Amino acid sequence: MPANGNRPLKLQFGLINYEGRYLTAEAFGFKVNASAPSLKKKQIWTLEQESHDGQVVYLRSHLGRYLASDKDGRVTCEADGRSSDCRFLIVARSDGRWALQSEQHLRFFGGSRDYLSCFAQAITDAELWALHLALHPQVNLLSVARKRYAHLATEDGEVAVDRNIPWGVEALLIMVYQDGNYCLKTSDGRFLGNDGKLVALSGKATAYTLELKCGKLAFKDCEGKYLSPMGPTGTLRSGRCSKPGKDELFDLEESHPQVVLMAANRRYVSIRQGVSLSANQEDETDMETFQMEIDRETKRCIFRTSQGNYWALVAHGGIQTTATEISADTMFALEWLGNRMALRANNGKYICTKKNGQLLAVSDSIGEDEQFNLKLINRPMLILKGENGYICHHKSSNTLDASRSVYDIFTLSFNDGAYHIKGVSGRFWYVNSAGLVCSDGDTPEDFTLEFLEHGRIAIRGKNGKYLRGDQGGTLKGDGLSANSSALWEY
């Protein structure tokens, strides 16, 4: 497992047929069709590989059922376990499209609308499927061969693959989907060209088709060559290979939030002075930056340093960064207090800042010394995905949709524990008197972020209410609780 403790993301995607329609798993009767015009929940498929045979794949629907084909080519999606009829082979074409062949019956899967079958003996356009990733587009990219992460090397104007841990905003990449291809966008808004240079506008040289090999991804450019890390710094550009080997393979990993914390003394919490945490620094460096990982079960938070160690509760309420394994003493409960937050350690006490800046978990209640100002640093570009889709500007009004299959990129800027959110037009989000979130404000309005679940945040408006997607798909600022409609992948 890599140094940041992440596992590769399970590949989830939509499959688009020759008519531009997505393969869909219906809840009613577990039927499948290819009728949907966009990628939403029912169009998401998870790729599972056979552990002892890397060539065989299974396709699992959002209902947890497996795609299967019988000897007559009849396609179903109702099996809740894997059988021989669920085993498929991927035949990749040079344009990045896939044909899916039943391993058992050697026929190809295709068709349109309600007329899907797995009976074709040869591959035509009707048996080819384009891949549209359904992952949150902001990721970390790990080279399989080098076991190093990609990051924006601003001084060289390139993407280098030489980091042990994906640290800071530079390690954030956005996978931008355009007409069946993908572009790689860096944290400063530029696109990676196949010559390794970063450019302001996307075009033919920045478009890659995705290929899958042994569960890993390869990026093929417009000339049929593959991205790989080159030279001592691992400059990411197209090499000479026209077939992907280990050097050309990558894993996508979830990008965890990274934060700095300011204590009541207006100093940053730091590890610069040694293993004990102390709020005694005036500037933000890697020594003051911590990765937040929310435990899926307990919803408590683990803080990781740039060296890969964890915050841990030690004797007498001390907080040190000596732990290398996760335990109950490395988990902290987060309590959100408007634009401030407090941390409760495993001994049930709140962390407070002493006069000398030292952090100790010794307080029974929250006063000023127990409050921290938490600043998210690795999401200057914000993409929000809710239970029904992405947040996007409404086509004909100043409101925001919360159920779109495409996303807009918003700008996040910090303001004393709160955030301002700016839209594509350069104007600001605000909540109007009717509780609608609008995107054409001339002046910024404060929103607060609460990190509540693994990979998900809640956002509160200045009225104290949560932002949620309503039944009609509109973003509203009137939520009374952080339920599923008010949680956002970011």
Side-chain angles (χ1 to χ4, degrees):
M1 197 184 292
N4 73 328
N6 274 5
R7 290 177 177 81
L9 287 165
K10 261 197 170 160
L11 280 180
Q12 292 187 313
F13 46 76
L15 288 170
I16 310 168
N17 75 353
Y18 68 109
E19 295 178 328
R21 300 284 162 161
Y22 286 81
L23 183 64
T24 302
E26 301 289 359
F28 180 72
F30 298 110
K31 288 186 164 52
V32 283
N33 61 58
S35 304
S38 62
L39 178 62
K40 293 194 176 175
K41 192 175 180 178
K42 289 198 278 191
Q43 289 75 40
I44 293 175
W45 298 84
T46 303
L47 189 81
E48 296 181 359
Q49 285 192 289
E50 182 68 84
S51 51
H52 58 270
D53 182 356
Q55 299 305 308
V56 172
V57 298
Y58 301 89
L59 289 169
R60 189 161 54 83
S61 76
H62 70 105
L63 300 163
R65 304 298 177 112
Y66 290 92
L67 193 71
S69 157
D70 67 13
K71 67 179 191 313
D72 300 317
R74 195 173 67 90
V75 175
T76 56
C77 193
E78 55 192 56
D80 54 10
R82 299 170 172 184
S83 70
S84 57
D85 279 351
C86 305
R87 294 165 65 90
F88 287 90
L89 304 168
I90 294 171
V91 182
R93 284 296 164 108
S94 60
D95 63 1
R97 288 189 295 172
W98 292 357
L100 290 164
Q101 185 179 30
S102 163
E103 190 212 33
Q104 178 86 343
H105 310 294
L106 300 177
R107 300 295 178 100
F108 294 98
F109 171 56
S112 71
R113 295 185 293 279
D114 291 322
Y115 305 103
L116 298 178
S117 69
C118 191
F119 206 63
Q121 290 180 305
I123 300 169
T124 69
D125 242 14
E127 285 73 46
L128 288 172
W129 301 87
L131 182 72
H132 184 180
L133 288 182
L135 313 168
H136 191 280
Q138 291 174 302
V139 294
N140 298 137
L141 189 68
L142 176 71
S143 161
V144 172
R146 297 203 179 199
K147 296 185 171 62
R148 295 288 184 276
Y149 290 91
H151 68 100
L152 170 64
T154 38
E155 63 282 359
D156 303 318
E158 63 180 33
V159 174
V161 184
D162 61 356
R163 284 267 173 96
N164 288 329
I165 293 182
W167 206 255
V169 67
E170 294 81 17
L172 187 72
L173 291 170
I174 301 181
M175 301 269 295
V176 181
Y177 181 72
Q178 290 179 344
D179 303 324
N181 293 320
Y182 280 87
C183 303
L184 287 169
K185 193 176 192 177
T186 54
S187 58
D188 64 357
R190 291 186 290 171
F191 296 92
L192 178 68
N194 58 359
D195 58 358
K197 292 187 170 62
L198 294 169
V199 294
L201 298 172
S202 60
K204 193 178 171 191
T206 66
Y208 304 93
T209 52
L210 292 186
E211 286 190 11
L212 202 65
K213 187 178 177 186
C214 308
K216 312 296 181 188
L217 285 177
F219 295 83
K220 186 165 70 171
D221 74 8
C222 57
E223 293 164 9
K225 303 292 193 280
Y226 293 84
L227 284 183
S228 69
M230 305 277 194
T233 61
T235 302
L236 193 58
R237 59 185 173 87
S238 289
R240 290 188 290 275
C241 290
S242 52
K243 269 199 172 162
K246 193 175 182 184
D247 284 338
E248 287 74 38
L249 296 181
F250 297 89
D251 270 326
L252 300 178
E253 290 184 6
E254 175 184 15
S255 168
H256 287 289
Q258 290 170 353
V259 300
V260 293
L261 293 105
M262 183 182 274
N265 63 5
R266 310 296 293 170
R267 297 281 193 277
Y268 291 112
V269 175
S270 178
I271 55 168
R272 219 179 289 196
Q273 60 288 325
V275 295
S276 288
L277 282 167
S278 199
N280 60 7
Q281 297 299 322
E282 291 187 11
D283 51 351
E284 305 169 21
T285 71
D286 284 354
M287 297 286 195
E288 289 73 48
T289 303
F290 303 100
Q291 181 161 290
M292 289 174 69
E293 299 169 23
I294 310 264
D295 181 65
R296 289 180 197 274
E297 274 72 51
T298 64
K299 309 282 194 284
R300 292 198 293 167
C301 185
I302 299 148
F303 290 94
R304 189 195 285 264
T305 71
S306 55
Q307 276 90 40
N309 290 352
Y310 301 103
W311 290 21
L313 175 70
V314 295
H316 312 299
I319 307 293
Q320 294 188 349
T321 56
T322 47
T324 54
E325 307 256 317
I326 293 170
S327 69
D329 283 335
T330 65
M331 292 189 180
F332 299 85
L334 306 178
E335 294 191 16
W336 300 97
L337 314 160
N339 61 351
R340 298 286 186 270
M341 50 87 73
L343 292 161
R344 200 170 72 247
N346 194 41
N347 60 2
K349 305 284 187 181
Y350 291 99
I351 295 178
C352 72
T353 309
K354 293 297 180 187
K355 290 277 182 284
N356 63 357
Q358 191 181 1
L359 299 193
L360 292 172
V362 293
S363 298
D364 292 316
S365 59
I366 301 172
E368 198 177 325
D369 290 337
E370 288 73 35
Q371 295 187 34
F372 294 89
N373 193 329
L374 181 142
K375 174 183 173 185
L376 176 64
I377 63 157
N378 64 337
R379 287 295 185 281
M381 295 188 288
L382 191 66
I383 296 169
L384 293 168
K385 185 183 185 186
E387 60 178 353
N388 296 312
Y390 290 103
I391 293 183
C392 200
H393 288 279
H394 191 275
K395 286 186 176 71
S396 56
S397 77
N398 63 348
T399 60
L400 292 154
D401 290 333
S403 60
R404 295 284 293 280
S405 60
V406 293
Y407 55 82
D408 280 332
I409 298 176
F410 301 98
T411 307
L412 196 67
S413 54
F414 185 71
N415 178 46
D416 186 33
Y419 296 84
H420 299 151
I421 306 174
K422 201 190 290 185
V424 180
S425 63
R427 296 184 160 216
F428 294 96
W429 284 22
Y430 63 95
V431 182
N432 73 9
S433 56
L436 290 165
V437 183
C438 303
S439 60
D440 61 345
D442 292 324
T443 54
E445 186 166 293
D446 281 355
F447 291 87
T448 52
L449 305 185
E450 299 180 359
F451 298 80
L452 298 180
E453 289 192 5
H454 184 96
R456 284 169 174 76
I457 51 169
I459 305 172
R460 275 191 205 248
K462 70 172 188 181
N463 60 4
K465 306 272 178 59
Y466 289 102
L467 270 52
R468 66 177 186 95
D470 74 359
Q471 292 302 105
T474 301
L475 187 65
K476 289 190 170 173
D478 62 359
L480 300 176
S481 67
N483 61 19
S484 61
S485 68
L487 288 172
W488 308 95
E489 284 184 62
Y490 60 97

